[in-house]
């Protein structure tokens, strides 16, 4: 390769500088990075607070004041911070993505600053068409004040000013509203935003003459008694979230750099509903919608806290998911868990009030935490055949803890099981069956058994063989009638006498029934595939109560058609009593049986079999 070719190759590989369309960048910020134009004020406050923090790192006795003045579509923000020299202005304000926190040996102290991404004043272009910055450096007291003026077309000017233009170190930012954005620079709006973002800032922040910071934080203030503190925090919760809490949980976790409170919701919410919490970062409001702050099971609280350990995302409107956040989440979850165990140990009345609303959240926690399950055993309510009881009380009453996995199964077997002296827990509600199955792990020696249709049938008394043989004709006609519905008919004797028939099935039977229905509606290919899946699963059964007077009269019928109508009526009534959803075939059967009974009642001839 000759030298001319080499020089040409090197020239073609020389670096080029990106050209930035500032208006396009501002559009990106306002429509994609930030959720609302209101963040401009947070950026201004943040820059001012960081500047004061930087100055105090070198001059601990330096003043710490931020002043905001809004009037006629303009805003002026003054701070007593570190200030800038002319070289700082060229280096920092005019270079997108640059941050003063990386300069002059401050890298190691960046944890003291709020800003982490150097976007700085660009956010102000979301509401302003022109930005003017006048600054004087505290590091170089003899340096002249400098003025930086930028417009939203991407141009800027820099000039030095006489010393009297800025007698003291610090920075003043002037904004002029862009068309249509004047409302964001009104005094009322600026005051509201400043109070929202900066109420916990450690410096003297004022809009005009009105102080914004409200220190100490509500959870750090002293009160005459615990009762008055609860009242004050309840008022704070109502102001922030719009509800009066059931209780308040302190979230003081020094090792995680967290201080704050969790407010317990006064009404039940869905576990799937994402909780939104207010998080302040070193006093500055970071977000009102932090969703990943607590474990999923703690959906019954809303938090407000201040932290100095968590990392914000680039927009500084949410939390960065990392190991630190995971550790904080675990620590806060442990704090809420400790509050629950404390209630169980010392305040059962408040615990009962809490569980009456939020038992689902505690069950969610207990299914993964044996210690919590052990603590909550005497308190968590379950639906049982003995009424609403805790697992502890139910286990004391019954040597075997029977449960069903679905609400439908419980409704089928509960009345009969109760009459036979079998205690059953309804495990069909969220988490309940998992907790019942976990019972032996925290209560050794407890026997837990799932109750299904076969178990219930086995507890029912068999009918004398001679009597059942005498009714074989009736049973054959009844079975033939229900066979197309995938249901068998059996005869048993059980209590209560008032129940004429009981419909029993299990999940295997329902699965087989659903497969058969799908096979009927499928084309030849799918019908063949579904047919190959046919198993030996038990079918549903209609258990007739031989002790019931109506069943005794029906079983004496001789007319096959009337037997069929009566059997369909008993089947439909048993489905309704079990509160099972009706298939189209079941609905058609009920209508047919009803019409058949009406016809029989109005056309019976003397001497013909009847039900009387």
């Amino acid at each position: 390769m000759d030298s001319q070719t080499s020089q040409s190759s090197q020239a073609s590989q020389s670096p080029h500088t990106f050209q930035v369309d500032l208006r396009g960048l501002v559009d990106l910020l306002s429509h994609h990075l930030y959720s609302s134009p209101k963040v401009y004020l947070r950026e201004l406050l943040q820059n001012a607070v960081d500047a004061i923090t930087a100055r105090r790192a070198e001059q601990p006795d330096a003043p710490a004041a931020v002043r905001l003045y809004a009037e006629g579509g303009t805003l002026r923000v003054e701070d007593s911070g570190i200030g800038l020299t002319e070289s700082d202005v060229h280096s920092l304000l005019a270079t997108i993505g640059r941050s003063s926190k990386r300069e002059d040996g401050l890298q190691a102290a960046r944890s003291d600053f709020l800003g982490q991404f150097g976007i700085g004043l660009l956010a102000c272009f979301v509401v302003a068409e022109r930005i003017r910055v006048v600054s004087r450096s505290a590091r170089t007291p003899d340096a002249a004040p400098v003025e930086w003026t930028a417009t939203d077309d991407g141009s800027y000017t820099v000039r030095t000013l006489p010393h009297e233009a800025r007698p003291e170190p610090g920075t003043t930012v002037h904004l002029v509203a862009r068309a249509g954005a004047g409302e964001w620079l009104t005094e009322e709006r600026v005051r509201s935003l400043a109070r929202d973002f900066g109420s916990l800032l450690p410096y003297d922040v004022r809009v005009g003459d009105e102080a914004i910071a409200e220190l100490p934080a509500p959870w750090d203030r002293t009160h005459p008694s615990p009762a008055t503190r609860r009242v004050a925090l309840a008022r704070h919760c109502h102001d922030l979230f719009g509800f009066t809490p059931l209780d308040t949980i302190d979230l003081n976790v020094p090792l995680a750099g967290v201080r704050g409170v969790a407010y317990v919701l006064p009404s039940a919410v869905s576990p799937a509903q994402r909780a939104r919490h207010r998080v302040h970062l070193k006093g500055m409001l970071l977000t009102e919608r932090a969703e990943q702050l607590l474990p999923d099971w703690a959906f019954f609280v809303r938090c407000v806290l201040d932290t100095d350990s968590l990392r914000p995302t680039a927009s500084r409107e949410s939390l960065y998911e990392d190991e630190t956040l995971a550790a904080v989440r675990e620590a806060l979850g442990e704090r809420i868990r400790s509050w629950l165990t404390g209630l169980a140990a010392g305040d059962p009345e408040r615990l009962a009030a809490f569980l009456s609303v939020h038992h689902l959240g505690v069950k969610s926690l207990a299914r993964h935490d044996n210690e919590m399950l052990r603590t909550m055993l005497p308190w968590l309510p379950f639906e049982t055949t003995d009424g609403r009881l805790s697992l502890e009380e139910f286990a004391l009453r019954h040597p075997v803890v029977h449960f069903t996995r679905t609400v439908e199964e419980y409704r089928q077997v509960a009345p009969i099981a109760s009459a036979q002296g079998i205690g059953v827990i309804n495990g069909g509600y969220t988490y309940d069956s998992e907790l019942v199955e976990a019972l032996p792990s925290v209560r050794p020696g407890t026997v837990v058994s799932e109750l299904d249709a076969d178990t219930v049938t086995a507890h029912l008394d068999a009918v004398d063989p001679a009597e059942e043989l005498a009714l074989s004709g009736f049973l054959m006609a009844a079975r033939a009638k229900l066979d197309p519905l995938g249901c068998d008919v059996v005869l048993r004797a059980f209590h209560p006498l008032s129940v004429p028939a009981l419909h029993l099935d299990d999940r295997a039977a329902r699965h087989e029934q659903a497969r058969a229905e799908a096979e009927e509606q499928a084309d030849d290919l799918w019908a063949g595939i579904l047919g190959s899946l046919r198993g030996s699963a038990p079918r549903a059964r209609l258990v007739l109560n031989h002790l019931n007077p109506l069943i005794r009269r029906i079983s004496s019928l001789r007319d096959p058609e009337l037997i069929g109508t009566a059997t369909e009526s008993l089947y439909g009534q048993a489905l309704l009593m079990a509160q099972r959803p009706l298939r189209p075939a079941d609905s058609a059967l009920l209508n047919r049986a009803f019409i058949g009974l009406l016809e029989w009642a109005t056309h019976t001839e003397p001497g013909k079999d009847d039900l009387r």
Side-chain angles (χ1 to χ4, degrees):
M1 181 181 296
D2 57 31
S3 60
Q4 184 176 0
T5 303
S6 176
Q7 292 175 358
S8 174
S9 175
Q10 292 176 359
S12 66
Q13 295 178 12
S14 60
H16 299 278
T17 302
F18 281 106
Q19 301 299 311
V20 178
D21 179 358
L22 186 57
R23 286 178 174 169
L25 185 57
V26 169
D27 180 72
L28 178 67
L29 291 174
S30 60
H31 291 98
H32 301 284
L33 184 62
Y34 295 128
S35 61
S36 166
K38 70 180 182 180
V39 297
Y40 88 91
L41 192 68
R42 185 195 63 199
E43 295 291 340
L44 288 173
L45 284 176
Q46 182 171 286
N47 286 342
V49 169
D50 284 346
I52 293 172
T53 302
R55 184 176 181 185
R56 283 205 156 183
E58 301 179 7
Q59 305 171 15
D61 296 332
V66 181
R67 298 290 182 267
L68 298 91
Y69 304 95
E71 183 180 1
T74 64
L75 175 64
R76 185 172 86 255
V77 181
E78 301 177 354
D79 69 66
S80 58
I82 194 70
L84 301 171
T85 63
E86 183 177 0
S87 62
D88 291 334
V89 167
H90 283 290
S91 174
L92 302 175
L93 297 187
T95 305
I96 295 173
R98 199 74 177 271
S99 172
S100 62
K101 272 70 78 177
R102 299 187 180 96
E103 301 298 318
D104 298 318
L106 289 177
Q107 178 69 28
R110 286 186 67 203
S111 63
D112 294 332
F113 297 95
L114 300 174
Q116 296 283 324
F117 298 92
I119 295 175
L121 292 174
L122 280 179
C124 294
F125 280 121
V126 173
V127 298
E129 66 178 9
R130 187 170 80 251
I131 302 173
R132 185 166 71 94
V133 177
V134 178
S135 187
R136 182 169 182 175
S137 175
R139 290 198 187 104
T140 314
D142 295 335
V146 61
E147 177 191 72
W148 177 84
T149 303
T151 58
D152 61 1
D153 63 1
S155 63
Y156 71 93
T157 60
V158 179
R159 65 185 181 116
T160 57
L161 301 176
H163 284 276
E164 57 268 21
R166 178 81 198 191
E168 299 295 330
T171 301
T172 302
V173 180
H174 302 262
L175 301 187
V176 177
R178 64 167 56 246
E183 63 169 310
W184 292 103
L185 271 62
T186 62
E187 183 175 12
E188 182 179 358
R189 178 61 68 89
V190 168
R191 181 183 298 108
S192 174
L193 293 177
R195 185 178 292 114
D196 200 30
F197 284 119
S199 63
L200 300 184
L201 289 175
Y203 302 136
D204 180 15
V205 181
R206 296 175 182 268
V207 176
D209 295 327
E210 183 176 339
I212 296 302
E214 300 176 353
L215 296 178
W219 47 86
D220 287 330
R221 296 171 190 168
T222 57
H223 297 276
S225 68
T228 56
R229 183 176 187 269
R230 281 197 297 270
V231 170
L233 288 176
R235 188 181 305 114
H236 175 247
C237 175
H238 192 274
D239 292 341
L240 280 185
F241 298 115
F243 65 85
T244 300
L246 275 178
D247 207 347
T248 300
I249 308 169
D250 283 312
L251 300 178
N252 182 13
V253 189
L255 292 178
V258 170
R259 290 280 297 172
V261 289
Y263 294 116
V264 181
L265 291 165
S267 56
V269 293
S270 167
Q273 180 178 328
R274 300 295 294 180
R276 294 184 171 186
H277 312 288
R278 287 176 63 96
V279 177
H280 296 256
L281 180 61
K282 304 179 184 72
M284 182 76 74
L285 178 66
L286 179 70
T287 178
E288 300 173 280
R289 302 186 302 274
E291 295 183 348
Q292 68 273 48
L293 187 64
L294 295 181
D296 290 341
W297 56 260
F299 56 83
F300 49 82
V301 298
R302 296 292 179 269
C303 295
V304 54
L305 55 83
D306 188 26
T307 176
D308 58 15
S309 63
L310 299 179
R311 289 176 57 195
T313 59
S315 66
R316 290 190 285 278
E317 294 187 284
S318 59
L319 297 171
Y320 186 80
E321 184 68 51
D322 58 8
E323 292 181 357
T324 303
L325 178 57
V328 168
R329 181 162 51 233
E330 182 177 350
L332 295 180
E334 181 59 36
R335 185 65 195 87
I336 296 173
R337 184 186 289 107
S338 298
W339 168 79
L340 280 171
T341 55
L343 286 186
D347 200 339
E349 188 173 318
R350 284 169 66 198
L351 178 64
F354 166 75
L355 289 178
S356 68
V357 179
H358 295 298
H359 59 275
L360 198 58
V362 180
K363 287 180 177 181
S364 173
L365 171 59
R367 68 193 177 117
H368 296 303
D369 188 327
N370 280 352
E371 188 58 37
M372 179 57 64
L373 177 57
R374 186 179 291 107
T375 301
M376 292 291 120
L377 272 181
W379 307 103
L380 288 174
F382 288 78
E383 182 181 358
T384 79
T385 49
D386 294 350
R388 288 189 70 79
L389 298 176
S390 69
L391 287 180
E392 177 75 15
E393 187 174 357
F394 187 86
L396 289 173
R397 294 186 181 187
H398 299 278
V400 178
V401 177
H402 291 286
F403 74 99
T404 63
R405 291 194 181 275
T406 68
V407 176
E408 290 79 8
E409 290 172 352
Y410 178 80
R411 288 170 177 165
Q412 288 180 57
V413 304
I416 308 305
S418 180
Q420 308 303 313
I422 305 172
V424 184
I425 296 175
N426 183 356
Y429 296 116
T430 307
Y431 311 133
D432 283 8
S433 61
E434 297 174 69
L435 292 176
V436 175
E437 289 182 300
L439 190 55
S441 66
V442 296
R443 197 177 187 276
T446 303
V447 179
V448 173
S449 175
E450 182 176 355
L451 188 68
D452 56 19
D454 288 333
T455 305
V456 175
T457 304
H459 278 81
L460 303 181
D461 294 333
V463 177
D464 181 86
E467 293 188 50
E468 187 167 0
L469 181 61
L471 300 176
S472 58
F474 163 76
L475 292 174
M476 187 178 299
R479 288 166 182 154
K481 196 66 176 178
L482 295 187
D483 184 68
L485 297 174
C487 184
D488 291 332
V489 177
V490 297
L491 189 66
R492 293 290 187 274
F494 57 87
H495 293 274
L497 301 180
S498 57
V499 177
L502 178 66
H503 181 272
L504 293 177
D505 64 2
D506 52 27
R507 278 162 293 161
R510 288 194 293 273
H511 176 75
E512 174 63 20
Q513 189 177 66
R515 186 209 59 77
E517 291 176 356
E519 182 180 358
E520 290 179 2
Q521 300 173 8
D523 56 29
D524 292 341
L525 174 61
W526 280 109
I529 294 174
L530 291 170
S532 67
L533 298 177
R534 182 185 298 111
S536 58
R539 298 180 0 138
R541 70 204 69 172
L542 181 67
V543 184
L544 303 180
N545 187 0
H546 189 56
L547 301 181
N548 180 268
L550 178 62
I551 294 298
R552 286 183 173 274
R553 291 197 295 270
I554 291 177
S555 62
S556 65
L557 294 173
R558 296 292 179 267
D559 184 348
E561 183 177 346
L562 189 53
I563 290 175
T565 299
T567 302
E568 289 180 333
S569 300
L570 290 169
Y571 175 82
Q573 188 262 354
L575 285 180
L576 294 175
M577 289 297 294
Q579 302 183 44
R580 293 292 306 277
L582 299 181
R583 300 170 296 164
D586 297 330
S587 298
L589 175 146
L590 279 172
N591 289 332
R592 184 170 64 249
F594 179 71
I595 296 300
L597 289 175
L598 286 179
E599 289 181 348
W600 171 84
T602 55
H603 294 90
T604 299
E605 298 176 3
K608 193 169 184 177
D609 289 330
D610 56 43
L611 298 179
R612 293 172 294 175

